[in-house]
Amino acid sequence: MPELPEVETIKRGLASKIKGKIISSVLILDSGSINVSSKKFALAIKNAQIINIDRRAKILIIKLSNGFSLLAHLKMTGQMLFKPKFYSEAGFSFTEKTEKLKKYFQKPEFKHTRLVFFFKDGDALIFNDLRKFGYIKLVSQDKINEFTGKEKLGMEPLTNNFTIDRFKGILNKHPRRKIKQILTDQALIAGIGNIYSDEICAFADISPMRTAGKLSDMEANRLYQGIKEILLKAIGLRGTSVDNYLDVHGKQGGYAKNLLVYGREGEKCFNCNEEIKRVKIGGRSSYFCPICQR
DNA sequence: TATATTGTTACACC
DNA sequence: TGGTGTAACAATAT
């Protein structure tokens, strides 16, 4: 599941690989992945240059030279794969017919390919999405704030204005909510999902079921430290691949072997050897050590 | 075939 | 009313 560290890793990969490139065409294999008609989408981005790539919460913002941006959300299973020299390797010319391209993408490895961006230099960018929950939206740049405002996104946890006081303010405002739900609530703190919320609670030795109002000052400090440290460490290792997450080079993230609890139901806690338990909180699986996390 | 998966939202409830 | 919880939905693999 791409969360903040995975999306940030992809953002950096895209910045180094496609920034400055000019889009020659786009192949739309699943119109359900975009927000406007295929015709409008293709026409709008043709010949546009990639200005830069940004991230807000788990959303990638690809800024184009023509006043539009592409907002990409990978949801559970989205992938962005950079394919250098795609045209020459696939044996295509720049003016290849759509039908021939579509036929080529019927190959099994492209089963979940929804969109393909072709660049003037022959490189390509592939958007895969097994579950089809993700999207790439064409949004006018003057409407991006409107869009992210509509999504009610909270603070970016790695920015300087996400201070310990701000974090405690959030806890105080929602004293009855479980800490797991606060960490994963995108309207409060943006970018933390199921994996890292469990890992942050494990780092802080706090049960994900604890309510915010009953946390001591020290416990709140530990959670805050966990948010910063774990997200930064995960970015440093290019994310966690527990499912189908890959970076733009098609490589897995390196954080999976650092997971303390996520996905380890029935396995032993590294600290006390107790079995890791799994409970549902707000309908989501949550993993924790019942001895270490109180 | 029923179930599990997560991010997001719509809606019911107190 | 606003804060909270829950169910529903997206589509697919197993």
Side-chain angles (χ1 to χ4, degrees), chain A residues 14 29 78-83 86 104-105 109-110 112-119 124-129 136 248:
Chain A
L14 289 177
L29 296 165
Q79 298 173 329
M80 287 284 195
L81 300 175
F82 179 69
K83 299 288 181 183
F86 180 89
Y104 179 82
F105 280 97
E109 63 176 299
F110 300 118
H112 305 302
T113 298
R114 311 299 172 201
L115 295 177
V116 189
F117 298 89
F118 297 109
F119 300 107
L125 178 69
I126 288 180
F127 172 61
N128 288 333
D129 188 16
I136 297 187
V248 298

Side-chain angles (χ1 to χ4, degrees), chain A residues 60-75:
Chain A
L60 288 165
I61 303 174
I62 301 170
K63 188 178 183 183
L64 305 178
S65 58
N66 61 1
F68 286 97
S69 286
L70 295 172
L71 271 49
H73 199 312
L74 305 175
K75 295 290 178 85

Side-chain angles (χ1 to χ4, degrees), chain A residues 268-282:
Chain A
K268 287 182 174 166
C269 169
F270 295 127
N271 185 48
C272 73
N273 278 343
E274 179 73 10
E275 271 191 16
I276 301 297
K277 297 281 183 251
R278 177 167 72 125
V279 294
K280 290 260 182 184
I281 302 174

Side-chain angles (χ1 to χ4, degrees), chain A residues 90 128 141 146 168 176 214 224 240 245:
Chain A
N128 288 333
Q141 274 156 24
E146 192 181 308
K168 286 176 181 171
R176 305 168 65 94
K214 291 190 175 171
Y224 177 79
T240 304
Y245 164 74

Side-chain angles (χ1 to χ4, degrees), chain A residues 139-189:
Chain A
V139 177
S140 175
Q141 274 156 24
D142 52 11
K143 291 189 175 149
I144 288 182
N145 285 340
E146 192 181 308
F147 182 91
T148 49
K150 203 172 156 189
E151 303 248 329
K152 294 195 182 80
L153 294 174
M155 261 182 283
E156 285 289 334
L158 295 181
T159 57
N160 288 334
N161 61 354
F162 180 67
T163 59
I164 181 67
D165 288 340
R166 292 271 175 78
F167 179 58
K168 286 176 181 171
I170 290 171
L171 297 177
N172 288 334
K173 203 175 170 190
H174 302 274
R176 305 168 65 94
R177 294 191 79 184
K178 295 184 174 72
I179 188 62
K180 163 92 174 186
Q181 292 174 304
I182 287 178
L183 291 175
T184 53
D185 189 333
Q186 301 304 298
L188 301 178
I189 306 167

Side-chain angles (χ1 to χ4, degrees), chain A residues 42-268:
Chain A
L43 200 65
I45 68 175
K46 190 178 170 69
N47 294 324
Q49 187 175 27
I50 311 278
I51 301 298
N52 62 39
I53 294 95
D54 214 337
R55 180 188 61 75
R56 177 76 176 100
K58 302 170 190 170
I59 300 171
L60 288 165
I61 303 174
I62 301 170
K63 188 178 183 183
L64 305 178
S65 58
N66 61 1
F68 286 97
S69 286
L70 295 172
L71 271 49
H73 199 312
L74 305 175
K75 295 290 178 85
M76 286 175 72
T77 58
Q79 298 173 329
M80 287 284 195
L81 300 175
F82 179 69
K83 299 288 181 183
K85 299 290 159 278
F86 180 89
Y87 264 101
S88 50
E89 283 184 12
F92 288 130
S93 70
F94 292 100
T95 54
E96 212 60 70
K97 290 273 189 297
T98 302
E99 289 314 309
K100 192 170 173 185
L101 288 170
K102 279 189 178 170
K103 198 159 190 179
Y104 179 82
F105 280 97
Q106 282 172 0
K107 289 163 72 166
E109 63 176 299
F110 300 118
K111 185 174 181 188
H112 305 302
T113 298
R114 311 299 172 201
L115 295 177
V116 189
F117 298 89
F118 297 109
F119 300 107
K120 281 234 159 82
D121 61 4
D123 294 344
L125 178 69
I126 288 180
F127 172 61
N128 288 333
D129 188 16
L130 185 151
R131 292 275 187 273
K132 288 192 185 179
F133 298 168
Y135 59 76
I136 297 187
K137 292 183 178 180
L138 179 73
V139 177
S140 175
Q141 274 156 24
D142 52 11
K143 291 189 175 149
I144 288 182
N145 285 340
E146 192 181 308
F147 182 91
T148 49
K150 203 172 156 189
E151 303 248 329
K152 294 195 182 80
L153 294 174
M155 261 182 283
E156 285 289 334
L158 295 181
T159 57
N160 288 334
N161 61 354
F162 180 67
T163 59
I164 181 67
D165 288 340
R166 292 271 175 78
F167 179 58
K168 286 176 181 171
I170 290 171
L171 297 177
N172 288 334
K173 203 175 170 190
H174 302 274
R176 305 168 65 94
R177 294 191 79 184
K178 295 184 174 72
I179 188 62
K180 163 92 174 186
Q181 292 174 304
I182 287 178
L183 291 175
T184 53
D185 189 333
Q186 301 304 298
L188 301 178
I189 306 167
I192 299 172
N194 218 25
I195 298 174
Y196 295 107
S197 57
D198 281 1
E199 292 301 306
I200 290 163
C201 289
F203 171 95
D205 288 336
I206 290 166
S207 162
M209 285 105 80
R210 285 278 295 284
T211 52
K214 291 190 175 171
L215 293 173
S216 71
D217 207 50
M218 281 286 287
E219 288 172 330
N221 288 341
R222 291 210 303 271
L223 278 171
Y224 177 79
Q225 191 190 353
I227 292 171
K228 296 272 187 186
E229 275 194 29
I230 289 187
L231 293 178
L232 282 172
K233 192 174 169 190
I235 290 171
L237 291 170
R238 306 177 347 275
T240 304
S241 294
V242 289
D243 43 41
N244 74 335
Y245 164 74
L246 297 174
D247 68 12
V248 298
H249 310 288
K251 288 200 301 188
Q252 295 196 328
Y255 195 78
K257 54 181 169 295
N258 289 285
L259 293 174
L260 299 171
V261 292
Y262 184 83
R264 298 186 64 242
E265 183 184 19
E267 294 176 34
K268 287 182 174 166

